[in-house]
Amino acid sequence: MPARKNSLQTDQIRSAVDAVVAEVEVIESFGKVIDHIAELSDLQINRFGICVVTADGDVVTGGEADHPFPIQSISKVFALTMALEAHGDDVWKRVGREPSGDPFNSIIDLERMKGVPRNPFINAGALVVVDMLLDREKPRHEDVAAFLAEHIGSDEFDVDPEIFDKEAKGGYTNRALANLAKSFDNFHHEVDDVLKVYVRQCAIALTCRQLALAGRYLMLAPPGGRKKTSIEEAHRVRRINSLMLTCGQYDGAGDFAYRVGLPAKSGVGGGILAVVPHVASIAVWSPGLDDNGNSLLGTIALERLSERLGWSVFGNLPPKDV
């Protein structure tokens, strides 16, 4: 009987994913591509992919779920996880936990906060987190790529060389943020060393399938599930999810929480990683962005998927008929 229940739930997810893909295909407003990364500016903005990985291990895909894209700022979630594993709550002595209310690359806000970034998902916060990663002794994972390889179960992904080269040679605003943090003694390593690691993790290219697999740990195992999760890990994941909900969508986090109701982190490559605690990990991709820098079709798809399946951290509802 339990097997029948799990199968039925997977069928419902598959039907919902198919319906969302069909709806997205007829939407005529796709958003705009990021303009400061030339390698992303030529993408067809109506492209779309989605993957849902359930707590039982089922994988449901739709659209271009196996097309790789640079994860960009989604990498900040994995870097933060590694920093918290290594340093615990000491991370919060150098990075805040509040939404910024300013652009993700604001220099003014960092100066106002005397070198302490508002949260780990804006660029200044992510750079300080990478600086912390370089302080680790005998790290479990060498870098974000190694972390991803373990959680995906495969290292068959690449760093986009064109994006890495461009951002490594340029990235002047990030360089300015790092130097300003260093001027306030909130940076321990050389700016170029940190930037190289940061740009490399942002240029990692994953498919929706790989990204959803990588995010499985964020949903935690369901109560009574086979995978045992330590109390320490559970607390860490809950805190990361809370920051994804409040800070994960740049200045669109409040609207995203209202419309979708799930912890999520976006990237300007068009990807979004979302989490349904104890239930599923979801990755969507579409390169057209809204005014806040979040995937326009990706956000719409997650909104409609959460409505169809009744998923929300604010209280689940019965699934709608597909």
Side-chain angles (χ1 to χ4, degrees):
M1 186 66 69
R4 174 64 179 169
K5 179 180 179 181
N6 291 341
S7 176
L8 179 62
Q9 184 178 12
T10 300
D11 289 342
Q12 289 176 326
I13 294 172
R14 184 172 291 108
S15 295
V17 166
D18 289 344
V20 167
V21 171
E23 291 172 4
V24 166
E25 286 179 347
V26 299
I27 294 175
E28 296 182 355
S29 178
F30 309 127
K32 56 189 177 182
V33 293
I34 186 88
D35 56 6
H36 70 270
I37 302 179
E39 290 72 21
L40 299 179
S41 62
D42 294 331
L43 288 172
Q44 292 177 294
I45 56 178
N46 62 335
R47 302 179 73 172
F48 175 76
I50 182 171
C51 179
V52 179
V53 176
T54 72
D56 292 331
D58 294 321
V59 178
V60 179
T61 62
E64 298 185 66
D66 291 311
H67 181 82
F69 58 90
I71 61 173
Q72 294 287 345
S73 287
I74 301 173
S75 67
K76 297 171 182 176
V77 174
F78 309 119
L80 175 62
T81 302
M82 295 163 61
L84 287 170
E85 287 177 350
H87 302 295
D89 285 345
D90 284 346
V91 168
W92 309 123
K93 296 177 181 178
R94 298 178 58 190
V95 182
R97 301 192 296 268
E98 296 294 335
S100 66
D102 286 296
F104 64 89
N105 58 353
S106 173
I107 294 178
I108 295 173
D109 186 61
L110 186 62
E111 182 177 17
R112 185 187 301 127
M113 299 303 297
K114 301 187 187 310
V116 178
R118 293 273 186 177
N119 66 69
F121 295 152
I122 57 176
N123 285 16
L127 289 165
V128 171
V129 166
V130 171
D131 186 66
M132 293 184 214
L133 294 182
L134 297 182
D135 281 333
R136 293 174 302 158
E137 297 181 1
K138 298 180 179 179
R140 178 181 171 191
H141 302 98
E142 180 181 355
D143 54 18
V144 167
F147 180 94
L148 290 171
E150 178 180 314
H151 285 78
I152 294 171
S154 168
D155 61 358
E156 294 183 1
F157 56 84
D158 298 308
V159 172
D160 189 305
E162 293 182 350
I163 290 179
F164 175 78
D165 288 344
K166 178 176 174 58
E167 292 294 290
K169 293 175 182 176
Y172 300 114
T173 301
N174 286 336
R175 206 173 292 273
L177 290 167
N179 277 293
L180 185 57
K182 196 171 184 67
S183 74
F184 284 102
D185 296 324
N186 197 19
F187 225 75
H188 298 167
H189 299 272
E190 293 301 319
V191 168
D192 284 344
D193 293 339
V194 173
L195 281 173
K196 183 177 180 180
V197 175
Y198 173 72
V199 170
R200 182 176 179 81
Q201 72 184 38
C202 289
I204 292 172
L206 299 180
T207 66
C208 286
R209 186 191 301 269
Q210 290 171 323
L211 182 57
L213 288 170
R216 285 176 293 181
Y217 74 98
L218 293 167
M219 62 173 152
L220 292 177
R226 291 190 299 267
K227 180 180 181 295
K228 299 299 182 181
T229 302
S230 69
I231 294 296
E232 181 182 6
E233 181 184 0
H235 279 301
R236 182 164 57 243
V237 167
R238 287 179 63 184
R239 288 162 178 163
I240 293 169
N241 281 336
S242 71
L243 287 166
M244 291 171 68
L245 184 70
T246 58
C247 308
Q249 307 294 307
Y250 307 119
D251 286 342
D255 184 64
F256 188 92
Y258 179 87
R259 292 168 57 188
V260 180
L262 298 174
K265 182 70 192 82
S266 64
V268 294
I272 303 176
L273 173 64
V275 181
V276 189
H278 305 307
V279 176
S281 170
I282 312 166
V284 295
W285 169 72
S286 185
L289 308 179
D290 62 20
D291 290 337
N292 291 313
N294 303 313
S295 174
L296 192 150
L297 293 185
T299 300
I300 292 172
L302 286 169
E303 179 180 18
R304 296 189 180 183
L305 185 71
S306 65
E307 287 179 349
R308 286 184 176 278
L309 295 173
W311 287 343
S312 172
V313 296
F314 301 111
N316 293 342
L317 297 172
K320 289 184 177 181
D321 293 334
V322 178

